[in-house]
Amino acid sequence: MNTLDLVVVTAGLGVPSSTRLLADRLAEAAARDLRAAGREVDVRVVELRELARDIADNLVTGFPPPALRDAVRAVEEADGLIAVTPIFSASYSGLFKSFVDVLDRDALTGKPVLIAATGGTARHSLALEHALRPLFSYLRAAVVPTAVFAASEDWGADGTGGDGSLAGRIARAAGELAESLAGRPAAPRTRPTEQVVPFAQQLAALRAH
């Protein structure tokens, strides 16, 4: 079987970011499980912080800049996706949602997705089930059962103990994603030839509407 493409979308705003740290740990665990199952995997991380201006420009103009177009294509062509966002006001971040809005509405249909989030306290963990999971269900993604939330206290107290620890939750969720991907053939990487539409023609089409 061909190499699988695993794309990690992280919406952390700081540098360093606990959101990126959680994303990296989930990706490492999923890749390790896939390789143990005999599958090769390439991991790519999409940092939304670096694409914030491009995302805003795209929402206003409808034309994605090259870096954003490349990131969207990576997500759409991925065999599996790990999506990690900080929680603000009991929901996913505006940056995270804006990127999702850029995707084609059918881009995630049937795609295995692991959802995760970070927040200041464990009270925010409910956002995974009342905000993040419904979002990906609406997009018809195949969301794995275990979602991972990491509060501030999880990082200091984390260990290699049972499933209740952050390490245990990461292992369980990554294992579920790896299991859903292990038997899948890699998605075809052939891309249709892009038709370049002259800018004047695009403007004319906008005026017609």
Side-chain angles (χ1 to χ4, degrees):
M1 293 184 181
N2 294 333
T3 300
L4 295 167
D5 282 342
L6 178 62
V7 172
V8 184
V9 174
T10 173
L13 299 180
V15 179
S17 163
S18 60
T19 303
R20 174 61 189 269
L21 177 60
L22 179 58
D24 287 343
R25 291 188 59 179
L26 288 165
E28 290 166 5
R32 184 170 57 248
D33 287 350
L34 281 167
R35 291 174 181 130
R39 297 302 305 269
E40 288 301 314
V41 57
D42 285 335
V43 178
R44 173 174 175 177
V45 177
V46 174
E47 277 272 14
L48 297 188
R49 180 180 180 275
E50 299 173 356
L51 299 170
R53 182 167 297 178
D54 286 354
I55 292 170
D57 287 345
N58 181 81
L59 291 173
V60 172
T61 66
F63 303 118
L68 177 59
R69 184 165 57 245
D70 180 63
V72 168
R73 180 177 292 156
V75 170
E76 292 177 346
E77 294 185 351
D79 297 292
L81 180 68
I82 295 174
V84 191
T85 177
I87 299 300
F88 299 135
S89 302
S91 189
Y92 36 71
S93 73
L95 177 60
F96 182 84
K97 181 57 163 59
S98 295
F99 178 74
V100 172
D101 287 343
V102 169
L103 301 175
D104 184 273
R105 64 181 181 180
D106 297 321
L108 302 184
T109 299
K111 194 184 301 293
V113 175
L114 190 167
I115 57 173
T118 58
T121 72
R123 291 194 303 273
H124 294 304
S125 63
L126 292 175
L128 281 166
E129 300 303 330
H130 72 64
L132 207 56
R133 191 179 296 274
L135 172 65
F136 283 97
S137 295
Y138 172 78
L139 295 170
R140 300 187 298 279
V143 185
V144 301
T146 300
V148 179
F149 182 84
S152 298
E153 61 266 23
D154 285 323
W155 298 109
D158 187 28
T160 57
D163 285 350
S165 68
L166 179 57
R169 299 195 303 273
I170 288 172
R172 185 167 68 250
E176 291 168 356
L177 181 64
E179 184 178 0
S180 67
L181 287 171
R184 292 168 63 100
R189 303 294 177 241
T190 55
R191 301 171 181 167
T193 302
E194 293 186 2
Q195 181 179 3
V196 178
V197 180
F199 186 64
Q201 184 177 335
Q202 295 177 17
L203 286 177
L206 288 174
R207 293 193 186 100
H209 293 288

Short mmCIF file of all heavy atoms in Angstrom, two decimals, residues 89-121:
data_model
loop_
_atom_site.label_atom_id
_atom_site.label_comp_id
_atom_site.label_asym_id
_atom_site.label_seq_id
_atom_site.Cartn_x
_atom_site.Cartn_y
_atom_site.Cartn_z
N SER A 89 -14.46 31.29 24.76
CA SER A 89 -15.90 31.53 24.96
C SER A 89 -16.71 30.28 24.69
O SER A 89 -17.72 30.30 23.99
CB SER A 89 -16.39 32.68 24.07
OG SER A 89 -15.67 33.87 24.33
N ALA A 90 -16.23 29.15 25.22
CA ALA A 90 -16.94 27.87 25.17
C ALA A 90 -17.08 27.30 23.76
O ALA A 90 -17.97 26.48 23.50
CB ALA A 90 -18.32 27.99 25.81
N SER A 91 -16.20 27.69 22.83
CA SER A 91 -16.27 27.13 21.48
C SER A 91 -14.89 27.19 20.83
O SER A 91 -13.94 27.69 21.42
CB SER A 91 -17.30 27.89 20.64
OG SER A 91 -17.53 27.23 19.41
N TYR A 92 -14.81 26.67 19.60
CA TYR A 92 -13.56 26.72 18.85
C TYR A 92 -13.23 28.17 18.53
O TYR A 92 -14.08 29.06 18.55
CB TYR A 92 -13.65 25.89 17.57
CG TYR A 92 -15.00 25.92 16.90
CD1 TYR A 92 -15.47 27.06 16.26
CD2 TYR A 92 -15.83 24.80 16.93
CE1 TYR A 92 -16.69 27.09 15.65
CE2 TYR A 92 -17.08 24.83 16.32
CZ TYR A 92 -17.51 25.97 15.68
OH TYR A 92 -18.74 26.01 15.09
N SER A 93 -11.97 28.41 18.20
CA SER A 93 -11.53 29.78 17.94
C SER A 93 -12.08 30.28 16.60
O SER A 93 -12.40 29.50 15.70
CB SER A 93 -10.00 29.86 17.92
OG SER A 93 -9.48 29.26 16.75
N GLY A 94 -12.15 31.61 16.48
CA GLY A 94 -12.60 32.20 15.22
C GLY A 94 -11.67 31.87 14.07
O GLY A 94 -12.12 31.66 12.94
N LEU A 95 -10.37 31.82 14.34
CA LEU A 95 -9.40 31.48 13.30
C LEU A 95 -9.65 30.06 12.78
O LEU A 95 -9.62 29.81 11.58
CB LEU A 95 -7.98 31.62 13.84
CG LEU A 95 -6.85 31.23 12.90
CD1 LEU A 95 -6.86 32.09 11.64
CD2 LEU A 95 -5.50 31.34 13.61
N PHE A 96 -9.89 29.13 13.71
CA PHE A 96 -10.15 27.74 13.32
C PHE A 96 -11.40 27.66 12.45
O PHE A 96 -11.40 27.02 11.39
CB PHE A 96 -10.31 26.90 14.58
CG PHE A 96 -10.55 25.44 14.31
CD1 PHE A 96 -9.48 24.59 14.09
CD2 PHE A 96 -11.83 24.91 14.28
CE1 PHE A 96 -9.68 23.24 13.84
CE2 PHE A 96 -12.05 23.57 14.02
CZ PHE A 96 -10.98 22.73 13.81
N LYS A 97 -12.48 28.30 12.89
CA LYS A 97 -13.74 28.25 12.13
C LYS A 97 -13.59 28.92 10.77
O LYS A 97 -14.14 28.45 9.76
CB LYS A 97 -14.86 28.92 12.92
CG LYS A 97 -16.23 28.90 12.21
CD LYS A 97 -16.68 27.48 11.86
CE LYS A 97 -18.17 27.43 11.54
NZ LYS A 97 -18.56 28.30 10.41
N SER A 98 -12.84 30.01 10.70
CA SER A 98 -12.65 30.69 9.43
C SER A 98 -11.93 29.81 8.42
O SER A 98 -12.25 29.81 7.23
CB SER A 98 -11.86 31.99 9.63
OG SER A 98 -12.59 32.91 10.42
N PHE A 99 -10.96 29.01 8.90
CA PHE A 99 -10.28 28.09 7.99
C PHE A 99 -11.24 27.00 7.51
O PHE A 99 -11.25 26.65 6.32
CB PHE A 99 -9.08 27.45 8.67
CG PHE A 99 -8.36 26.45 7.81
CD1 PHE A 99 -7.57 26.87 6.75
CD2 PHE A 99 -8.48 25.09 8.05
CE1 PHE A 99 -6.91 25.95 5.94
CE2 PHE A 99 -7.83 24.17 7.26
CZ PHE A 99 -7.04 24.60 6.19
N VAL A 100 -12.04 26.48 8.41
CA VAL A 100 -13.01 25.46 8.02
C VAL A 100 -13.98 26.02 6.98
O VAL A 100 -14.37 25.32 6.03
CB VAL A 100 -13.77 24.93 9.26
CG1 VAL A 100 -14.92 24.01 8.84
CG2 VAL A 100 -12.82 24.18 10.18
N ASP A 101 -14.35 27.29 7.12
CA ASP A 101 -15.26 27.92 6.17
C ASP A 101 -14.65 28.03 4.77
O ASP A 101 -15.37 28.12 3.77
CB ASP A 101 -15.65 29.32 6.65
CG ASP A 101 -16.61 29.28 7.83
OD1 ASP A 101 -17.22 28.22 8.06
OD2 ASP A 101 -16.74 30.31 8.52
N VAL A 102 -13.33 28.04 4.69
CA VAL A 102 -12.65 28.12 3.40
C VAL A 102 -12.70 26.79 2.65
O VAL A 102 -12.67 26.75 1.41
CB VAL A 102 -11.18 28.56 3.60
CG1 VAL A 102 -10.36 28.41 2.33
CG2 VAL A 102 -11.13 30.00 4.09
N LEU A 103 -12.81 25.67 3.38
CA LEU A 103 -12.80 24.36 2.76
C LEU A 103 -14.06 24.13 1.93
O LEU A 103 -15.13 24.65 2.26
CB LEU A 103 -12.71 23.26 3.83
CG LEU A 103 -11.49 23.28 4.75
CD1 LEU A 103 -11.64 22.20 5.81
CD2 LEU A 103 -10.21 23.07 3.95
N ASP A 104 -13.93 23.34 0.89
CA ASP A 104 -15.10 22.90 0.14
C ASP A 104 -16.00 22.09 1.06
O ASP A 104 -15.52 21.33 1.90
CB ASP A 104 -14.65 22.03 -1.06
CG ASP A 104 -15.82 21.63 -1.93
OD1 ASP A 104 -16.43 20.58 -1.61
OD2 ASP A 104 -16.12 22.32 -2.90
N ARG A 105 -17.30 22.23 0.91
CA ARG A 105 -18.22 21.60 1.86
C ARG A 105 -18.18 20.08 1.81
O ARG A 105 -18.62 19.41 2.75
CB ARG A 105 -19.65 22.08 1.60
CG ARG A 105 -20.22 21.68 0.23
CD ARG A 105 -21.63 22.20 0.07
NE ARG A 105 -22.19 21.82 -1.22
CZ ARG A 105 -23.43 22.15 -1.60
NH1 ARG A 105 -24.19 22.87 -0.81
NH2 ARG A 105 -23.88 21.77 -2.78
N ASP A 106 -17.66 19.51 0.72
CA ASP A 106 -17.55 18.06 0.61
C ASP A 106 -16.13 17.55 0.86
O ASP A 106 -15.86 16.35 0.72
CB ASP A 106 -18.00 17.60 -0.79
CG ASP A 106 -19.46 17.91 -1.05
OD1 ASP A 106 -20.27 17.75 -0.12
OD2 ASP A 106 -19.79 18.31 -2.18
N ALA A 107 -15.22 18.43 1.26
CA ALA A 107 -13.80 18.07 1.35
C ALA A 107 -13.54 17.00 2.40
O ALA A 107 -12.60 16.22 2.27
CB ALA A 107 -12.97 19.31 1.66
N LEU A 108 -14.33 16.95 3.47
CA LEU A 108 -14.05 16.04 4.57
C LEU A 108 -14.99 14.85 4.61
O LEU A 108 -14.94 14.05 5.55
CB LEU A 108 -14.13 16.79 5.91
CG LEU A 108 -13.20 17.98 6.07
CD1 LEU A 108 -13.33 18.56 7.48
CD2 LEU A 108 -11.76 17.60 5.80
N THR A 109 -15.82 14.68 3.60
CA THR A 109 -16.78 13.58 3.60
C THR A 109 -16.07 12.23 3.72
O THR A 109 -15.23 11.88 2.89
CB THR A 109 -17.62 13.60 2.31
OG1 THR A 109 -18.34 14.84 2.24
CG2 THR A 109 -18.60 12.44 2.29
N GLY A 110 -16.40 11.50 4.78
CA GLY A 110 -15.83 10.17 4.99
C GLY A 110 -14.40 10.15 5.46
O GLY A 110 -13.83 9.07 5.67
N LYS A 111 -13.78 11.30 5.68
CA LYS A 111 -12.37 11.36 6.07
C LYS A 111 -12.24 11.12 7.58
O LYS A 111 -12.91 11.80 8.37
CB LYS A 111 -11.77 12.70 5.70
CG LYS A 111 -10.24 12.75 5.76
CD LYS A 111 -9.71 14.14 5.49
CE LYS A 111 -10.11 14.67 4.13
NZ LYS A 111 -9.48 13.93 3.02
N PRO A 112 -11.39 10.19 8.01
CA PRO A 112 -11.17 9.99 9.45
C PRO A 112 -10.55 11.25 10.08
O PRO A 112 -9.56 11.78 9.59
CB PRO A 112 -10.19 8.81 9.50
CG PRO A 112 -10.40 8.09 8.22
CD PRO A 112 -10.68 9.17 7.21
N VAL A 113 -11.16 11.72 11.17
CA VAL A 113 -10.73 12.94 11.83
C VAL A 113 -10.65 12.71 13.34
O VAL A 113 -11.56 12.13 13.94
CB VAL A 113 -11.70 14.12 11.54
CG1 VAL A 113 -11.29 15.35 12.33
CG2 VAL A 113 -11.74 14.43 10.05
N LEU A 114 -9.56 13.16 13.93
CA LEU A 114 -9.41 13.17 15.38
C LEU A 114 -9.52 14.62 15.82
O LEU A 114 -8.79 15.48 15.33
CB LEU A 114 -8.04 12.59 15.77
CG LEU A 114 -7.75 12.28 17.24
CD1 LEU A 114 -6.50 11.43 17.35
CD2 LEU A 114 -7.57 13.54 18.09
N ILE A 115 -10.44 14.91 16.75
CA ILE A 115 -10.61 16.27 17.23
C ILE A 115 -10.01 16.43 18.62
O ILE A 115 -10.06 15.51 19.44
CB ILE A 115 -12.09 16.70 17.23
CG1 ILE A 115 -12.93 15.74 18.09
CG2 ILE A 115 -12.63 16.78 15.81
CD1 ILE A 115 -14.38 16.20 18.28
N ALA A 116 -9.43 17.60 18.86
CA ALA A 116 -8.80 17.86 20.16
C ALA A 116 -8.83 19.36 20.42
O ALA A 116 -9.03 20.17 19.51
CB ALA A 116 -7.36 17.35 20.16
N ALA A 117 -8.64 19.71 21.69
CA ALA A 117 -8.70 21.12 22.06
C ALA A 117 -7.90 21.37 23.33
O ALA A 117 -7.62 20.45 24.09
CB ALA A 117 -10.16 21.57 22.25
N THR A 118 -7.57 22.63 23.54
CA THR A 118 -6.88 23.05 24.76
C THR A 118 -7.66 24.20 25.39
O THR A 118 -8.39 24.93 24.70
CB THR A 118 -5.45 23.53 24.46
OG1 THR A 118 -5.50 24.62 23.52
CG2 THR A 118 -4.61 22.40 23.90
N GLY A 119 -7.51 24.35 26.70
CA GLY A 119 -8.19 25.43 27.40
C GLY A 119 -7.63 25.61 28.79
O GLY A 119 -6.85 24.78 29.28
N GLY A 120 -8.04 26.67 29.43
CA GLY A 120 -7.50 26.99 30.74
C GLY A 120 -7.95 26.04 31.83
O GLY A 120 -7.17 25.71 32.73
N THR A 121 -9.20 25.58 31.76
CA THR A 121 -9.72 24.68 32.78
C THR A 121 -10.50 23.55 32.13
O THR A 121 -10.94 23.66 30.98
CB THR A 121 -10.67 25.41 33.76
OG1 THR A 121 -11.91 25.71 33.09
CG2 THR A 121 -10.05 26.70 34.28
#
